[in-house]
Amino acid sequence: KQWYQRRVAITAGISVSLTKKAPELIQSYHAGPVRGIVPCPYTHMSASMGSDGAVRVVDYLRKHTLVCKKYKSGGSCILWPGRNVDSKMVTLIGGFTDGVIRVMTLDYADQESEFDLKIVLQHALKPHKGEVTAMIIDDEGKTLVTGSAEDSTLFFFDITSNYMPIGFMKLEAPVK
């Protein structure tokens, strides 16, 4: 051990100790490209969606991750609806590469959790055959529209009726 430590110190100009505490993780990030990011409508938080399937909510003033939830399929886009959809503004809507949209809510985490918040899945819907490439909510907060470049479709959901499907449109061109 001592020879190895001395050898490393001489050749690399650093000291290695096998008895010191292991490094600890300070902050983690997406394991790949960030596919969508959206600010919270009422405070200094933002939510991001990664190609790794992770949904992260961070307090960007404190530089602190409040919650991270990982799904099996990659993320493609994200919305944080305002008060016209959810009076508490704790709803997130994520689009995924497998054609699924997930409606999630934020809640306080249990005391033994490593995060301050938790993400609770409310609805999982699969309107598209391929990646969800676009999502938007109308100004009144009543209709969610999702689109896909792979299947060239738009799907319409009634938010006020628990995201019941209204119908769809087949387009001549991809939805980007």
Side-chain angles (χ1 to χ4, degrees):
K1 280 185 184 179
Q2 289 178 347
W3 176 86
Y4 177 75
Q5 287 176 335
R6 194 173 349 185
R7 179 77 175 158
V8 170
I10 293 169
T11 59
I14 59 171
S15 176
V16 176
S17 173
L18 301 177
T19 60
K20 290 203 175 182
K21 187 172 124 181
E24 66 181 80
L25 180 65
I26 297 171
Q27 182 76 0
S28 63
Y29 298 94
H30 291 284
V34 174
R35 299 290 306 275
I37 189 163
V38 63
C40 174
Y42 66 92
T43 190
H44 45 83
M45 295 188 301
S46 65
S48 60
M49 174 72 75
S51 64
D52 60 351
V55 178
R56 292 181 175 281
V57 176
V58 298
D59 178 330
Y60 52 81
L61 289 184
R62 292 190 310 152
K63 298 178 177 112
H64 178 68
T65 300
L66 299 170
V67 66
C68 178
K69 171 88 175 175
K70 191 160 166 62
Y71 292 96
K72 289 182 180 178
S73 58
S76 56
C77 50
I78 191 163
L79 292 176
W80 197 325
R83 193 168 268 119
N84 58 351
V85 172
D86 172 14
S87 62
K88 295 180 182 177
M89 292 185 283
V90 295
T91 300
L92 298 171
I93 304 172
F96 291 81
T97 57
D98 61 357
V100 172
I101 59 169
R102 289 181 174 88
V103 180
M104 305 159 274
T105 55
L106 298 173
D107 199 356
Y108 292 105
D110 302 326
Q111 286 184 340
E112 54 274 353
S113 173
E114 68 177 293
F115 296 113
D116 298 342
L117 299 175
K118 65 181 175 181
I119 292 176
V120 180
L121 181 65
Q122 300 297 326
H123 303 282
L125 308 161
K126 186 170 174 26
H128 299 285
K129 293 177 185 171
E131 178 178 344
V132 179
T133 53
M135 295 190 304
I136 192 166
I137 295 174
D138 74 320
D139 291 340
E140 295 178 9
K142 295 181 179 180
T143 306
L144 168 67
V145 182
T146 65
S148 174
E150 291 182 38
D151 61 16
S152 299
T153 58
L154 293 176
F155 275 83
F156 300 82
F157 298 92
D158 183 352
I159 294 172
T160 62
S161 296
N162 258 343
Y163 296 86
M164 284 290 292
I166 297 170
F168 74 97
M169 292 174 57
K170 181 75 174 149
L171 305 174
E172 296 297 320
V175 180
K176 299 242 175 183

